[in-house]
Amino acid sequence: MEEKVNKEHEVCTLDGAIDSHGHPAVRERTGNWVAGILILVNQGLATLAFFGVGVNLVLFLTRVMGQDNADAANNVSKWTGTVYIFSLLGAFLSDSYLGRYMTCAIFQVIFLLGLMSLSLTSYIFLLEPSGCGTKDLPCRSHPSYQTTLFYVSIYLVALGNGGYQPNIATFGADQFDEGDPKEQHSKVAFFSYFYLALNLGSLFSNTILDYFEDEGLWTLGFCASTGSAFVALVLFLCGTRRYRYFKPGGNPLPRFCQVFVAATRKWKVEVLLGEDKLYEVEECSTHGGKKMFHTEGFRFLDKAAIITSKDFRQMEENKCSPWQLTTVTQIEEVKCILRLLPIWLCTILYSIVFSQMASLFVEQGAAMETRISSFHIPPASMSSFDILSVAFFIFIYRRVLNPIVARAMTSKGLTQLQRMGIGLFLAIMAMVAAGLVEQFRLKYAIKDDCKNCEGSSSLSIFWQIPQYVLVGASEVFMYVGQLEFFNGQAPDRLKSFGSALCMTSISLGNYVSSLLVAIVMKISARDDTPGWIPGNLNKGHLDRFYFLLAALTTVNLVIYIMWARWYKYINFQGNNEEDINKENSECEV
């Protein structure tokens, strides 16, 4: 009897979450850090698996597939870009039809199949003759069907990881109730720990797996990635009964089109002042999205919510069409996305800087002195300093910098937009550092003719540490800030899309990086001049490319500051304490 009474008075979440049976989620028995930690471990293992392929892909393409430096760098950029383009597909399916849990599970299975295919293809076909794939023994050329199998495998990996990434971040945030102050604080912390888990997961890939792959043990590295992905999937499924869920909100495209069509139909109607003059309903969505308060700006769209005499007659007859009259919340969803787009566009150039770690940083490191006594340091393993930098600066930001700023400014600390601006500034410093290191590398380089010229400079690879550390510091401010910003500012029914915006900025950054490399090579390679990024870096000017990126990022920072000052944060019903207190926190289960 006592147990029954306790169940009837269990506290449910205030954000509309449900449990695995479709009942209102009980706060004590679902979600929170139990589910959050499970998702963080899943993210770490999945990241280990992904970077087991991605971190050395540029070397695999040169040593095993026989591509030159520029082509390999371009193909890595295109592949990485495709990974994040697929995040839009995953976000659309999640927000519209499948929900975040089911989408994560399906794409993790695809990810695992891609890794299995890559392991088998490499072992059976690509690594011929035996022992090839090292710096000293490149592999033979491959027939077209083997090359096709390789690309199908890595793009299955891209599809699986791309569709999974934006949803796992949002699904993890779903485990914390915004209506509870303590859980709301935990939700903010979750994004920092999520990015930390991502980096710690890649630490193993960038050290142990990277060393094996650099020594030609490619199959072992790919099999380890496959095993990690399998364990990640099993752990994810184990938390099914503990997770909190949100129902998908349906296809957003018709909702967006309805706003523009309704506003266009009423383009002659004068917009009246006052939110009470605009149409809204008591329940803004059958799928549980919170109402959004009216904001100024994009006033043309407000016409879609003006109730005309014709609308009033149709409302009395219950025949009102959403293509004629839309709610304030529906309009604010569109405004929200329109406001996010300029900020999102400004993050793309930062992603160009970030993408250099997987391509040109590795090639630059390979052309430096990589030995300490008889031990060879794989160039891609230098990204471990980026990971350690991320871990260090997350701790510094959360425990030192943010509390100091909060006390000094009598606020909650740096805003998400301010942190992203700091990230852009640090990215500029990283490119300047990389350019200076390249100038010194060229000073100590051997000028003899060679194809890849690995280890042809006496300058130690450890001189790359500053550029990796600065990129890592910039990630803490830019990417963690992005995750919080796009997830927090996206409408309830488009949360995965918000996270996907963060991922697609990385995608487009990689594509633009590939395009920029091609343009630079086209312009700089004339007559006997091999261009800025030739196969023999000792005859090029990679430093000029880094300085070009620093200049472009500086211009981008100025534009970003202008848009950030213009941006208006959105306000949902229920985001303030008064609205929260009005909610009934008890539920029957």
Side-chain angles (χ1 to χ4, degrees):
M1 182 69 180
E2 183 179 353
E3 183 180 353
K4 183 178 180 180
V5 171
N6 289 337
K7 282 189 175 182
E8 288 178 352
H9 291 83
E10 284 182 318
V11 177
C12 288
T13 60
L14 304 179
D15 55 4
I18 58 176
D19 61 20
S20 58
H21 300 291
H23 303 140
V26 177
R27 186 171 292 160
E28 295 299 322
R29 292 195 278 116
T30 60
N32 218 316
W33 280 114
V34 175
I37 290 173
L38 199 58
I39 290 171
L40 291 176
V41 174
N42 168 268
Q43 168 66 9
L45 290 170
T47 303
L48 185 158
F50 175 71
F51 281 102
V53 175
V55 75
N56 258 336
L57 185 58
V58 67
L59 293 183
F60 189 89
L61 291 174
T62 54
R63 295 178 182 180
V64 179
M65 305 306 293
Q67 299 179 8
D68 61 32
N69 283 338
D71 287 340
N74 273 342
N75 283 327
V76 169
S77 293
K78 291 174 183 176
W79 178 79
T80 308
T82 304
V83 171
Y84 297 112
I85 281 291
F86 283 136
S87 67
L88 285 175
L89 172 63
F92 175 78
L93 292 175
S94 170
D95 286 334
S96 302
Y97 303 111
L98 299 178
R100 287 184 267 279
Y101 170 81
M102 186 60 67
T103 306
C104 285
I106 290 172
F107 279 99
Q108 281 188 83
V109 170
I110 295 173
F111 180 51
L112 180 60
L113 291 174
L115 288 169
M116 292 172 62
S117 174
L118 179 61
S119 301
L120 292 172
T121 300
S122 300
Y123 176 72
I124 297 173
F125 299 118
L126 302 181
L127 296 174
E128 293 290 342
S130 180
C132 74
T134 65
K135 178 175 66 175
D136 302 319
L137 181 61
C139 296
R140 62 171 174 77
S141 59
H142 307 287
S144 58
Y145 79 91
Q146 294 179 3
T147 303
T148 301
L149 279 175
F150 166 72
Y151 278 110
V152 168
S153 299
I154 63 170
Y155 277 93
L156 273 176
V157 171
L159 172 61
N161 187 263
Y164 153 84
Q165 275 296 332
N167 293 295
I168 197 66
T170 309
F171 189 58
D174 287 345
Q175 308 310 309
F176 303 94
D177 181 12
E178 287 186 346
D180 179 72
K182 184 178 179 180
E183 289 199 24
Q184 190 175 37
H185 178 75
S186 296
K187 183 174 184 176
V188 173
F190 173 81
F191 286 109
S192 294
Y193 296 135
F194 180 85
Y195 200 74
L196 179 62
L198 187 153
N199 280 271
L200 292 178
S202 64
L203 180 61
F204 185 85
S205 300
N206 290 319
T207 51
I208 307 300
L209 290 187
D210 179 51
Y211 178 77
F212 287 145
E213 292 172 356
D214 193 64
E215 293 297 315
L217 301 174
W218 294 99
T219 303
L220 177 62
F222 294 154
C223 286
S225 292
T226 304
S228 179
F230 176 76
V231 175
L233 177 60
V234 171
L235 284 176
F236 178 78
L237 297 176
C238 285
T240 300
R241 294 175 63 87
R242 180 75 195 193
Y243 296 139
R244 294 174 186 171
Y245 304 83
F246 286 90
K247 294 179 181 179
N251 190 342
L253 296 179
R255 297 201 304 270
F256 278 47
C257 292
Q258 286 166 1
V259 171
F260 286 104
V261 170
T264 303
R265 285 180 170 180
K266 299 176 182 177
W267 67 279
K268 292 184 179 181
V269 178
E270 183 180 354
V271 179
L272 302 175
L273 296 177
E275 184 179 354
D276 57 333
K277 306 294 184 182
L278 302 175
Y279 177 65
E280 185 59 281
V281 293
E282 289 299 319
E283 297 294 334
C284 65
S285 171
T286 58
H287 297 278
K290 293 193 292 287
K291 289 183 185 179
M292 298 172 67
F293 294 117
H294 176 260
T295 60
E296 297 299 324
F298 301 105
R299 297 194 65 189
F300 170 77
L301 297 178
D302 290 340
K303 295 183 178 183
I306 295 177
I307 304 176
T308 63
S309 56
K310 179 181 178 181
D311 295 329
F312 188 76
R313 288 195 302 271
Q314 290 182 338
M315 289 169 65
E316 288 182 333
E317 299 173 1
N318 293 323
K319 295 180 179 179
C320 190
S321 169
W323 296 92
Q324 180 70 31
L325 180 65
T326 62
T327 65
V328 169
T329 294
Q330 199 170 333
I331 294 170
E332 290 302 318
E333 281 186 342
V334 177
K335 288 185 181 180
C336 174
I337 299 302
L338 292 177
R339 290 193 180 105
L340 288 176
L341 288 179
I343 302 295
W344 172 72
L345 288 171
C346 290
T347 66
I348 293 174
L349 201 59
Y350 172 84
S351 296
I352 299 177
V353 173
F354 178 74
S355 70
Q356 304 314 309
M357 282 200 304
S359 53
L360 293 181
F361 278 20
V362 178
E363 293 178 12
Q364 181 188 32
M368 301 173 76
E369 177 55 60
T370 59
R371 291 194 175 274
I372 299 178
S373 186
S374 61
F375 182 75
H376 170 64
I377 302 168
S381 70
M382 290 299 292
S383 58
S384 301
F385 289 100
D386 165 76
I387 297 165
L388 295 174
S389 174
V390 167
F392 175 75
F393 280 100
I394 282 179
F395 174 81
I396 290 296
Y397 170 73
R398 291 198 56 80
R399 300 298 180 185
V400 181
L401 180 60
N402 202 46
I404 291 175
V405 173
R407 285 195 296 268
M409 301 175 63
T410 63
S411 65
K412 293 183 179 180
L414 294 171
T415 66
Q416 296 149 357
L417 290 174
Q418 288 170 339
R419 287 153 56 191
M420 290 161 66
I422 293 172
L424 282 172
F425 175 77
L426 291 172
I428 296 169
M429 296 298 99
M431 286 298 96
V432 171
L436 292 175
V437 168
E438 179 62 13
Q439 288 184 336
F440 279 100
R441 191 198 67 79
L442 289 172
K443 184 178 178 180
Y444 295 98
I446 300 170
K447 302 300 181 182
D448 297 338
D449 288 335
C450 50
K451 183 179 179 181
N452 294 316
C453 294
E454 294 189 8
S456 61
S457 176
S458 61
L459 189 68
S460 171
I461 194 173
F462 287 110
W463 281 98
Q464 282 193 309
I465 291 177
Q467 65 203 60
Y468 278 105
V469 169
L470 284 168
V471 171
S474 71
E475 289 175 59
V476 172
F477 289 95
M478 171 56 83
Y479 280 143
V480 176
Q482 262 188 276
L483 278 171
E484 289 183 33
F485 178 74
F486 288 123
N487 185 273
Q489 292 296 295
D492 278 358
R493 293 178 288 180
L494 293 171
K495 290 295 184 185
S496 294
F497 176 77
S499 296
L501 282 178
C502 179
M503 306 299 174
T504 49
S505 74
I506 301 175
S507 167
L508 292 178
N510 279 274
Y511 283 124
V512 175
S513 175
S514 178
L515 177 63
L516 191 59
V517 168
I519 292 173
V520 164
M521 287 299 293
K522 183 77 173 178
I523 295 174
S524 62
R526 296 178 179 176
D527 301 325
D528 295 332
T529 305
W532 287 3
I533 318 173
N536 181 355
L537 290 180
N538 296 336
K539 293 186 175 182
H541 279 287
L542 183 57
D543 55 323
R544 295 179 183 175
F545 183 74
Y546 287 143
F547 291 140
L548 173 64
L549 287 181
L552 292 174
T553 309
T554 301
V555 175
N556 183 63
L557 176 59
V558 174
I559 297 172
Y560 169 81
I561 291 173
M562 294 169 55
W563 283 116
R565 290 173 64 88
W566 166 83
Y567 185 82
K568 295 179 181 178
Y569 283 86
I570 62 173
N571 190 16
F572 295 99
Q573 184 184 54
N575 275 10
N576 55 62
E577 188 175 350
E578 182 180 348
D579 288 331
I580 291 172
N581 290 337
K582 287 180 181 179
E583 297 283 347
N584 181 12
S585 63
E586 292 186 357
C587 62
E588 293 184 3
V589 294

